[in-house]
C-alpha cells in the first residue's frame, strides 16, 4: 500500500459517512475552528475498516464545542467533558470531539493532569502509537502525520511517538493496548516496544482492574487473540494481569512427559474460535467461550501428580480450575453472568470423558444437558476444541464419540423437553398433596422429584404422586387430612 493509495482509501472511507462529517465540518468552520478526524479513526480508514464510531479533535474548547453541536446533534453527553471530550450522536453515528490536549502525568496513577493544547501536532505527540498519531483536517482533507503513522500502518508495525519508556511511564495501560492491537489488527510490535514492555511490565499494576478487564476482553475477542496472549506472556504482563496463563507452562522432564498445558490451551482457544466461526460465520466473537477455552486447564499445575512408571495425573483439575477461574475473573471485575458461565464451562469440560464408548445411561445424558443448561452449545464447542492430539485415529474417534452423544441428546430431546427439565409436579401441587406450607420441605420435595425426572425421564401424574408420597413417608412428612 503506497502513500497515495492509502490516502485515497482513507478519503473514500471518509466520504462514505460524509453527510455527518461534512455538516459537522461546516459548523466548526463557520464558528472559526478547525476539525480533524484523528487517531484510531484515521488508522481504521486507512485499513478500510472505519466504523460509525468516530474520533475528532479540534482547537475549540469544550464549552465552544457544546454551542457548535447544540441544535444539530441528535443527542449530546458531557460525561467526558472534564477531559475535554464532548459526545454526540447524529444519524446513527457516534462522534467524540476532544479539544487538543497537552497533558502531563504524575507517573504514579494513570489519570493525567488535563491541559488543553494549541496545535494538532502537540495533540498527536501524546498519542499511544504512531499508527494512532495521525489526523485528517476535514475542511481540506489534508493529512497530518508527523510520526510516520502512515508507514507504520502500511507495515503493520506498533511503535510509539515518544520513546516507549516515556509513553508507558505516562500510561502503563498502553502496554496492554499493544497486546490488544496485536490481537485485533495483527500488528507487530517494534523491538524497542517489546523491550520496554518487558522491563516495565510491573507498571501495569497502577491501572484499575476495570480498565485492565476492558482491554483484555477486546484482546480475547480480537481476530488473533493467540498473538496478543503470547505477547502478554512473553513480556511478563500476564504475570500481573492473568498469572494463571503463564502458570500453565509446566516443565517437561525426560521421565514424566506430558503435554505443555500452556500450548495446549492456546490450541484449544484457536480451535474453539474455528468452531465459533464455522457454526455461525455472521455471529460476533464469543467472549465466554474464548475465556473458557483459554482457562479450562488452569487447575492442572495445582493438581499435578507424578506417578510411578512415568505417568502424570491431574485429578479434579476441573474442580480446582473452576474455583480459580471464578476468583480471577472476579478480581478483574467481570460481570457476574460472565464469571458464572465461564466457571461452569471450566467445571464441565471434562465431564464428557466419562462417556467412554457410549456407556452413559439416558439419565447421565439428561444430567449433562441439565447441568450445562443454556451453556450446552458452548460446551459442545469447548469439548470438541479440547481434542488436540496429533494422532488422527484417536482424534477422529473422539469426534465420532461426541457426534454420538449429540445424536443421543437430540433423540432424547425429541421425546422430552430437555431444555426445561422440571419435576413432574410443581410447588403448588406438592404443597397441596402433602398438606405443607411453603418452606424447606417443599424445596426438598421439589429437588427429589427433579432427581427422579433426571433418572427416569417424564413420569405420568399418578406415578409422580405415588413417588412423592413414598418419599414423604420415608422423610417422616405426614400429609394433612384430606390432602
Amino acid at each position: 500500500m503506497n502513500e497515495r493509495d492509502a490516502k485515497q482509501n482513507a478519503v473514500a472511507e471518509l466520504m462514505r459517512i460524509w453527510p455527518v462529517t461534512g455538516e459537522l465540518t461546516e459548523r466548526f468552520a463557520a464558528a472559526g475552528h478547525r476539525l480533524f478526524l484523528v487517531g484510531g479513526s484515521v488508522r481504521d480508514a486507512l485499513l478500510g475498516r472505519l466504523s460509525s464510531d468516530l474520533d475528532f479533535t479540534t482547537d475549540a474548547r469544550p464549552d465552544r464545542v457544546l454551542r457548535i453541536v447544540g441544535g444539530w446533534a441528535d443527542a449530546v453527553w458531557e460525561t467526558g467533558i472534564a477531559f475535554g471530550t464532548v459526545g454526540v450522536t447524529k444519524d446513527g453515528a457516534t462522534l467524540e470531539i476532544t479539544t487538543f490536549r497537552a497533558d502531563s502525568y504524575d507517573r504514579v496513577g494513570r489519570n493525567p493532569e488535563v491541559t488543553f493544547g494549541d496545535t494538532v501536532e502537540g495533540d498527536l505527540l501524546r498519542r499511544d502509537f504512531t499508527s494512532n498519531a495521525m489526523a485528517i483536517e476535514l475542511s481540506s482533507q489534508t493529512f497530518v502525520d508527523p510520526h510516520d503513522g502512515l508507514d507504520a500502518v502500511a507495515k503493520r508495525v506498533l511503535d510509539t511517538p515518544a520513546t516507549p519508556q516515556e509513553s508507558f511511564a505516562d500510561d502503563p495501560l498502553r502496554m496492554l493496548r499493544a497486546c490488544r492491537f496485536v490481537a485485533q489488527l495483527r500488528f507487530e510490535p517494534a523491538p524497542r516496544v517489546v523491550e520496554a514492555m518487558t522491563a516495565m511490565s510491573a507498571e501495569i499494576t497502577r491501572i484499575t482492574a476495570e480498565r485492565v478487564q476492558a482491554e483484555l476482553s477486546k484482546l480475547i475477542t480480537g481476530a488473533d487473540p493467540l498473538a496478543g496472549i503470547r505477547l502478554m506472556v512473553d513480556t511478563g504482563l500476564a504475570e500481573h494481569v492473568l498469572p494463571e496463563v503463564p502458570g500453565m507452562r509446566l516443565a517437561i522432564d525426560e521421565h514424566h512427559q506430558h503435554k505443555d498445558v500452556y500450548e495446549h490451551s492456546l490450541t484449544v482457544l484457536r480451535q474453539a474460535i474455528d468452531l465459533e466461526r464455522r457454526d455461525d460465520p455472521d455471529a460476533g466473537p464469543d467472549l465466554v467461550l474464548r475465556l473458557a477455552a483459554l482457562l479450562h486447564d488452569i487447575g492442572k499445575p495445582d493438581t499435578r501428580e507424578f506417578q510411578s512408571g512415568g505417568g502424570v495425573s491431574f485429578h479434579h483439575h476441573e474442580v480446582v480450575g473452576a474455583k480459580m477461574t471464578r476468583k480471577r475473573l472476579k478480581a478483574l471485575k467481570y460481570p457476574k453472568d460472565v464469571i458464572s458461565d465461564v466457571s461452569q464451562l471450566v467445571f464441565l469440560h471434562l465431564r464428557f470423558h466419562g462417556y467412554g464408548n457410549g456407556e452413559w445411561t439416558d439419565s447421565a445424558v439428561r444430567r449433562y444437558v441439565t447441568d450445562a443448561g443454556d451453556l450446552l452449545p458452548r460446551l459442545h464447542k469447548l469439548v470438541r476444541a479440547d481434542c488436540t492430539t496429533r494422532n488422527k485415529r484417536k482424534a477422529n474417534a473422539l469426534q465420532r464419540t461426541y457426534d454420538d452423544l449429540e445424536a443421543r441428546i437430540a433423540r432424547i430431546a425429541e421425546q422430552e423437553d430437555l431444555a426445561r427439565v422440571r419435576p413432574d409436579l410443581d410447588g403448588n401441587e406438592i404443597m397441596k398433596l402433602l398438606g405443607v406450607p411453603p418452606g424447606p420441605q417443599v424445596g426438598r420435595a421439589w429437588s427429589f422429584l427433579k432427581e427422579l425426572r433426571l433418572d427416569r425421564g417424564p413420569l405420568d401424574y399418578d406415578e409422580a404422586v405415588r413417588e412423592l408420597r413414598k418419599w414423604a413417608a420415608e422423610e417422616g412428612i405426614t400429609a394433612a387430612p384430606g390432602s
Side-chain angles (χ1 to χ4, degrees), residues 143-155:
F143 266 73
V144 182
D145 184 17
H147 305 288
D148 294 324
L150 190 61
D151 185 61
V153 172
K155 295 177 179 177

Side-chain angles (χ1 to χ4, degrees), residues 106-110 168-172 202-208:
D106 61 13
R107 298 190 175 181
V108 176
R110 175 180 182 268
F168 300 154
D170 282 347
D171 184 358
E203 292 293 307
I204 196 68
T205 57
R206 288 164 43 193
I207 306 303
T208 64

Side-chain angles (χ1 to χ4, degrees), residues 338-374:
V338 173
I339 296 172
S340 176
D341 288 350
V342 176
S343 301
Q344 183 70 349
L345 286 171
V346 171
F347 177 71
L348 293 174
H349 85 273
L350 210 59
R351 180 81 63 86
F352 161 71
H353 293 281
Y355 188 72
N357 293 315
E359 288 90 350
W360 275 4
T361 62
D362 284 355
S363 172
V365 174
R366 291 188 196 98
R367 289 179 186 277
Y368 187 75
V369 173
T370 302
D371 289 348
D374 293 339

Side-chain angles (χ1 to χ4, degrees), residues 259-390:
K259 289 181 180 177
D260 183 311
V261 183
Y262 169 67
E263 291 295 337
H264 163 74
S265 297
L266 292 184
T267 301
V268 173
L269 173 57
R270 176 177 53 77
Q271 293 184 165
I273 293 170
D274 290 342
L275 291 171
E276 171 188 287
R277 292 168 176 164
R278 183 201 69 183
D279 291 355
D280 191 350
D282 297 326
D286 188 336
L287 175 64
V288 167
L289 174 63
R290 294 185 182 198
L291 283 171
L294 177 63
L295 303 177
H296 76 284
D297 273 348
I298 62 171
K300 279 191 170 180
D302 284 356
T303 58
R304 179 175 59 166
E305 292 183 1
F306 294 124
Q307 300 172 331
S308 59
V312 180
S313 68
F314 304 95
H315 293 307
H316 305 302
H317 75 267
E318 75 283 10
V319 178
V320 173
K323 292 179 180 178
M324 292 172 66
T325 296
R326 183 176 294 276
K327 182 178 180 180
R328 176 54 53 195
L329 297 185
K330 185 177 180 180
L332 287 168
K333 307 295 185 182
Y334 272 97
K336 290 182 179 179
D337 59 333
V338 173
I339 296 172
S340 176
D341 288 350
V342 176
S343 301
Q344 183 70 349
L345 286 171
V346 171
F347 177 71
L348 293 174
H349 85 273
L350 210 59
R351 180 81 63 86
F352 161 71
H353 293 281
Y355 188 72
N357 293 315
E359 288 90 350
W360 275 4
T361 62
D362 284 355
S363 172
V365 174
R366 291 188 196 98
R367 289 179 186 277
Y368 187 75
V369 173
T370 302
D371 289 348
D374 293 339
L375 295 172
L376 185 62
R378 286 171 167 145
L379 183 59
H380 287 335
K381 293 184 182 73
L382 178 59
V383 172
R384 289 185 181 277
D386 196 22
C387 175
T388 62
T389 177
R390 295 180 181 178

Side-chain angles (χ1 to χ4, degrees), residues 78-99:
E78 303 179 26
T79 52
I81 202 162
F83 297 96
T85 299
V86 174
V88 169
T89 57
K90 177 68 174 179
D91 296 343
T94 300
L95 321 174
E96 288 198 347
I97 307 164
T98 303
T99 302

Side-chain angles (χ1 to χ4, degrees), residues 52 174 326 349 378 409 467:
S52 58
R174 290 170 175 171
R326 183 176 294 276
H349 85 273
R378 286 171 167 145
I409 290 172
E467 292 293 345

Side-chain angles (χ1 to χ4, degrees), residues 125-162:
L125 179 62
R126 52 169 287 278
R127 301 270 166 172
D128 53 3
F129 299 104
T130 58
S131 55
N132 297 332
M134 296 177 287
I136 301 175
E137 185 178 20
L138 296 176
S139 60
S140 62
Q141 295 185 3
T142 300
F143 266 73
V144 182
D145 184 17
H147 305 288
D148 294 324
L150 190 61
D151 185 61
V153 172
K155 295 177 179 177
R156 290 185 177 268
V157 171
L158 271 183
D159 206 345
T160 52

